[in-house]
Amino acid sequence: MKQNYEFALAGNPNAGKTTMFNTLTGGRQRVGNYPGVTVEKREGSMRFGSDDLNIVDLPGTYSLTAYTQEELVSRTYLVDSKPGCVINIVDATNLERNLYLTVQLLELGSPLVVALNMMDEVRKQGRHINTSLLSHHLRAPAIETVARTGEGKDDMITAAMKMSCDRQGALNPLVITYGPDLDPVITQIADMIEDLKLCDGRFPSRWLAIKYLEGDDQILDIVTKAGEKSEAIKKLAEKTAKHCKDTLGIYPESLIADYRYGFIASILKDGVMADDSALDRVILSDRIDALLTNRFFGPVIMLMVLYAMFAITFKLGAAPMGWLEALFGWLGDTVASIMPDGDLESLVVSGVIGGVGGVLGFVPLIIIMFMMVTFLEDSGYMARMAYMMDRVLRIFGLHGSSVMPLIIAGGIPGGCAVPGVMASRILRSPKEKLATLLVVPFMNCGAKVPVFILICGAFFGEKAALAMFGATITSWIFALLAARFLRSTLIRGDATPFLMELPPYRLPTFKGLIIHTWERAWQYIKKAGTVILGLSVIIWAGMTYPGLDEAQKAGFETKKSEIQTKISSVSDNDEKAGLEAKLEEISAEESMKTLRVSYAGMLGQALEPISKLAGFDWRVNIALIGGFAAKEVIVSSLGTAYSMGNVDAEHSEGLGKRLASDPGWNVAVALALMIFVMLYSPCFVTVVAIAKEASRKWAAFSMVFNTTVAFVFSVAVYNIGMWLFV
């Protein structure tokens, strides 16, 4: 008779869990988020014989303690949804470390099948695992698998179906000893929890007692809600913690971890693991690590890899980006030629096609970048990068894995904050992830580079390259100091325990690369059609309305009509060119005056009394307001505001000369503007990405915080610059 099963895949990061998920479910997958958090929830279905299976790929975790969102949602799912069986995907090449999660799953009482993955690599290393003996010790089936090839998957599913039928959801927790200092206390607290009826059929009482002693925040809350009756448990736990500290020099959570590893070690030493000493081979991963994590060569190679990744992304992405820009340019021109002139035509061409097209132009970069990020993750090198950078970034309250989002966002000038924010997903700690994505916009993304080129070329002459290099260093300094400030104030919290997760190197599967890359790119594309479309229209309206009055419009039309009439009547080419230049000047003047009377222009003028503290007049203010849409807009807006017409961001020499000769500009203003552009509010695409990854509250905070920091330091730089240079 046909049956339906639900299984959950659980395991450490890099254990091959997602590869197994892809092997089992193929394209029959659904991706969403767990309620209330941004952690991805991946589900898929498969048919096995006549039965239908629903597979849930839980986030990779090292434990079931609520240190991270991933650990919390995994645990909540196991406790509340109670899948028929949990399939624990274990990296068999790192059996001791991976079994730490296995022990916790068994202590929770979940119906469990252990899939010993990467057995092909275990055999290559000349090692043997006695799976029947391991099954006996764990009291759970252990199946040898190779996720990449599908070896053992049928045996694994068969064992999971049998386990599901046998257990019928009943909990059967493993009990291991935690020594004379903790065992009596655990039993006593478990009894008190039973008396308070806190288990609610979801947890084993002994498991709750252990987690309480480990200081698990969620479990502490559950017990505390019992009111005064929980005080006895709290006092007992505090007394035990003091006793452990006084007598053993460690806290209960460390003692519990020691005993778990002791339990695992005793299993492995009992004949479960055996090495073929005759082969005496040096493991390939260790030999590679000797070079890639070397104290001197490791960081150098890492920088080369990051630079190569950055260069490949923008080298390969340049052509398809150009195609997309050309496509949207052609679409805009076509629509403009079909529709009559007017507000509706301007809305469709400039607001909708221009706004959304500008965002979708990043899609090739997003796809290429995430494909390489996925490759680094799946190959095992990402873990080495985090390991090498952790000591440095930890000083500033970040994690070693934060280096990747910072680099992608523009740590090497030319990146993009949007994929940088999205790349912060690799961070496991919510607080470290939040601190990282808030400082990522300080990096010099590719959209800021044309602004810096314009300013450096206009005001620093032969020292322009040095000024550009200084801008790069300055952005890193501000990002790291801002991270330290946030982690010391608003985002306080202990650093995530950095486990030495150094999985063996392996070649990622093409199928896995494609699936992971498409999932991330599709999320970005969906945003372009929803939130970003609305914001594009709002910004267009702000820079268009209310527009010139009828008399002013008529005046410009009359001037242009007169010039056009003269152009059609003259035959001399030089005279014709002069008239055409005159026509462009009139159009540029009309655009400047239209921008000045727009809502954005009025806002720019209203802000001038304040912005003058940093040396900015209303024209600079308008450009900076437009920069909220995209930083590239700053150059073109400056061109319009200074009556230079529609300036190409990559060919702005004429505007540079105009700024350098303008009495309102000098070196101090130029430096202050560079600082402000570097630090102020992220563009709205980045803000949307932050809202998606964190919350709307933090997205709004990034706009206010970054702009405040930018204004304070630009005022300081302007006044110091005026004192030094002017």
Side-chain angles (χ1 to χ4, degrees):
M1 184 177 70
K2 175 183 174 183
Q3 294 192 53
N4 296 318
Y5 294 88
E6 178 158 320
F7 299 148
L9 301 185
N12 288 183
N14 299 308
K17 181 173 56 61
T18 301
T19 303
M20 179 63 81
F21 177 74
N22 293 334
T23 300
L24 293 174
T25 62
R28 300 177 296 280
Q29 301 181 2
R30 305 176 296 281
V31 181
N33 278 4
Y34 287 91
V37 295
T38 59
V39 178
E40 286 184 353
K41 182 179 183 181
R42 298 159 55 86
E43 289 187 70
S45 59
M46 65 174 291
R47 174 67 64 86
F48 191 77
S50 60
D51 299 318
D52 291 327
L53 279 61
N54 186 52
I55 310 291
V56 178
D57 181 21
L58 296 177
T61 63
Y62 295 102
S63 74
L64 291 182
T65 300
Y67 283 130
T68 68
Q69 286 186 344
E70 286 80 1
E71 289 164 344
L72 187 57
V73 298
S74 294
R75 189 173 80 187
T76 302
Y77 173 81
L78 294 175
V79 169
D80 292 340
S81 300
K82 295 190 182 307
C85 182
V86 179
I87 301 175
N88 180 202
I89 306 297
V90 168
D91 177 0
T93 64
N94 287 292
L95 193 55
E96 182 174 4
R97 175 172 51 76
N98 277 244
L99 286 180
Y100 189 80
L101 176 63
T102 307
V103 169
Q104 293 189 69
L105 290 168
L106 290 169
E107 286 187 297
L108 186 59
S110 303
L112 192 76
V113 168
V114 179
L116 296 172
N117 194 31
M118 305 182 201
M119 283 302 296
D120 54 341
E121 295 184 22
V122 172
R123 296 172 196 129
K124 287 179 184 176
Q125 294 168 6
R127 295 192 289 171
H128 306 282
I129 297 177
N130 188 331
T131 53
S132 59
L133 186 57
L134 180 63
S135 296
H136 171 73
H137 285 307
L138 295 178
R139 296 186 301 166
I143 310 296
E144 296 186 5
T145 64
V146 179
R148 288 196 306 136
T149 63
E151 177 187 327
K153 67 181 177 67
D154 289 349
D155 292 339
M156 179 187 75
I157 293 297
T158 301
M161 293 169 70
K162 184 176 185 305
M163 176 64 72
S164 178
C165 293
D166 291 347
R167 292 281 289 274
Q168 294 293 320
L171 300 179
N172 183 21
L174 171 72
V175 176
I176 62 177
T177 179
Y178 288 105
D181 294 292
L182 293 183
D183 275 342
V185 178
I186 291 172
T187 302
Q188 193 175 351
I189 293 178
D191 291 341
M192 297 163 77
I193 287 174
E194 288 281 358
D195 293 340
L196 293 173
K197 302 185 185 306
L198 296 177
C199 298
D200 196 22
R202 302 165 67 207
F203 311 97
S205 58
R206 179 180 170 81
W207 186 86
L208 273 183
I210 295 169
K211 287 298 171 191
Y212 192 91
L213 289 175
E214 286 184 297
D216 186 295
D217 289 339
Q218 187 188 44
I219 305 304
L220 291 175
D221 287 343
I222 291 175
V223 176
T224 303
K225 288 178 181 174
E228 294 181 358
K229 295 178 180 177
S230 67
E231 281 300 311
I233 297 177
K234 181 180 178 183
K235 290 179 180 176
L236 182 56
E238 290 174 349
K239 179 182 176 183
T240 305
K242 185 175 186 305
H243 170 75
C244 291
K245 184 65 179 174
D246 292 342
T247 59
L248 302 173
I250 58 176
Y251 288 104
E253 57 265 36
S254 300
L255 189 57
I256 289 170
D258 288 347
Y259 271 93
R260 284 192 184 125
Y261 276 116
F263 173 75
I264 295 167
S266 68
I267 291 176
L268 299 182
K269 289 179 180 177
D270 193 30
V272 170
M273 289 288 297
D275 291 329
D276 188 351
S277 57
L279 291 177
D280 192 26
R281 69 174 65 197
V282 178
I283 300 173
L284 179 60
S285 288
D286 292 340
R287 297 176 65 179
I288 297 175
D289 272 341
L291 176 64
L292 295 189
T293 61
N294 178 275
R295 184 180 294 270
F296 174 73
F297 293 108
V300 175
I301 295 172
M302 181 186 70
L303 290 176
M304 292 171 65
V305 169
L306 289 172
Y307 181 77
M309 176 181 163
F310 165 81
I312 291 170
T313 297
F314 286 91
K315 187 74 175 177
L316 295 182
M321 273 188 72
W323 299 336
L324 278 178
E325 289 172 358
L327 172 64
F328 281 102
W330 170 83
L331 184 60
D333 292 342
T334 303
V335 172
S337 65
I338 296 174
M339 296 182 68
D341 291 342
D343 289 352
L344 182 60
E345 179 262 349
S346 178
L347 169 64
V348 174
V349 175
S350 302
V352 178
I353 298 176
V356 176
V359 174
L360 290 181
F362 287 108
V363 169
L365 295 184
I366 298 283
I367 291 176
I368 296 170
M369 187 278 297
F370 272 128
M371 184 169 285
M372 283 190 286
V373 168
T374 303
F375 183 88
L376 293 180
E377 283 180 321
D378 292 355
S379 67
Y381 186 65
M382 185 77 80
R384 272 77 180 177
M385 293 172 58
Y387 164 70
M388 287 185 285
M389 290 301 297
D390 189 67
R391 287 186 179 179
V392 177
L393 295 182
R394 185 173 290 270
I395 298 172
F396 300 97
L398 300 177
H399 189 274
S401 299
S402 302
V403 67
M404 177 61 72
L406 291 171
I407 290 289
I408 291 171
I412 300 172
C416 178
V418 177
V421 169
M422 296 173 74
S424 66
R425 294 177 181 180
I426 61 177
L427 288 151
R428 300 175 60 241
S429 161
K431 291 184 177 178
E432 288 166 347
K433 174 186 173 182
L434 181 59
T436 301
L437 63 86
L438 286 176
V439 301
V440 151
F442 286 144
M443 295 288 101
N444 289 338
C445 66
K448 296 177 185 173
V449 171
V451 185
F452 295 156
I453 291 175
L454 166 68
I455 296 173
C456 291
F459 292 94
F460 299 104
E462 295 179 354
K463 295 180 180 179
L466 182 62
M468 288 291 291
F469 178 74
T472 301
I473 300 300
T474 304
S475 69
W476 273 99
I477 292 173
F478 273 106
L480 294 177
L481 292 179
R484 182 66 272 170
F485 172 77
L486 292 171
R487 293 287 279 143
S488 303
T489 54
L490 299 178
I491 318 176
R492 288 181 181 173
D494 295 333
T496 304
F498 187 78
L499 301 179
M500 295 300 180
E501 164 58 13
L502 298 179
Y505 293 100
R506 65 180 74 97
L507 188 63
T509 63
F510 181 74
K511 184 178 180 181
L513 285 177
I514 296 299
I515 290 175
H516 295 159
T517 301
W518 173 245
E519 287 173 353
R520 289 162 167 168
W522 178 238
Q523 289 182 11
Y524 177 80
I525 293 170
K526 281 196 294 187
K527 281 186 293 191
T530 53
V531 178
I532 293 171
L533 173 60
L535 287 171
S536 298
V537 172
I538 292 172
I539 291 173
W540 165 84
M543 299 184 76
T544 304
Y545 292 108
L548 299 173
D549 58 36
E550 293 303 322
Q552 290 173 310
K553 286 182 183 178
F556 280 111
E557 288 302 319
T558 301
K559 290 181 181 177
K560 288 191 286 186
S561 178
E562 292 173 352
I563 298 292
Q564 286 169 339
T565 302
K566 291 180 180 177
I567 290 175
S568 60
S569 62
V570 299
S571 56
D572 183 77
N573 289 335
D574 291 339
E575 186 179 359
K576 192 172 185 178
L579 291 170
E580 288 174 345
K582 181 68 176 175
L583 184 62
E584 288 183 4
E585 288 178 10
I586 294 172
S587 296
E589 185 183 358
E590 182 182 13
S591 298
M592 184 272 288
K593 291 192 173 180
T594 301
L595 183 62
R596 181 168 188 166
V597 299
S598 69
Y599 294 120
M602 288 187 273
L603 181 59
Q605 293 171 70
L607 291 174
E608 191 173 85
I610 299 174
S611 66
K612 268 297 182 184
L613 297 174
F616 307 152
D617 63 12
W618 67 272
R619 291 172 293 191
V620 176
N621 292 346
I622 291 176
L624 294 174
I625 292 170
F628 174 65
K631 295 296 186 287
E632 297 96 328
V633 174
I634 294 174
V635 174
S636 59
S637 297
L638 280 173
T640 302
Y642 281 86
S643 302
M644 294 293 292
N646 188 18
V647 175
D648 186 340
E650 296 181 359
H651 301 88
S652 55
E653 298 85 355
L655 176 58
K657 292 179 181 176
R658 181 67 174 269
L659 297 180
S661 61
D662 190 282
W665 280 76
N666 53 45
V667 174
V669 175
L671 285 172
L673 183 59
M674 286 182 69
I675 290 293
F676 195 87
V677 171
M678 182 188 300
L679 303 179
Y680 87 114
S681 172
C683 67
F684 75 78
V685 184
T686 304
V687 172
V688 172
I690 293 174
K692 176 75 175 175
E693 296 299 325
S695 68
R696 293 179 183 176
K697 181 188 76 174
W698 285 112
F701 173 82
S702 72
M703 296 167 61
V704 176
F705 175 72
N706 289 25
T707 304
T708 302
V709 171
F711 183 69
V712 169
F713 282 94
S714 60
V715 169
V717 167
Y718 170 70
N719 286 281
I720 294 173
M722 290 294 288
W723 179 60
L724 289 176
F725 305 118
V726 181

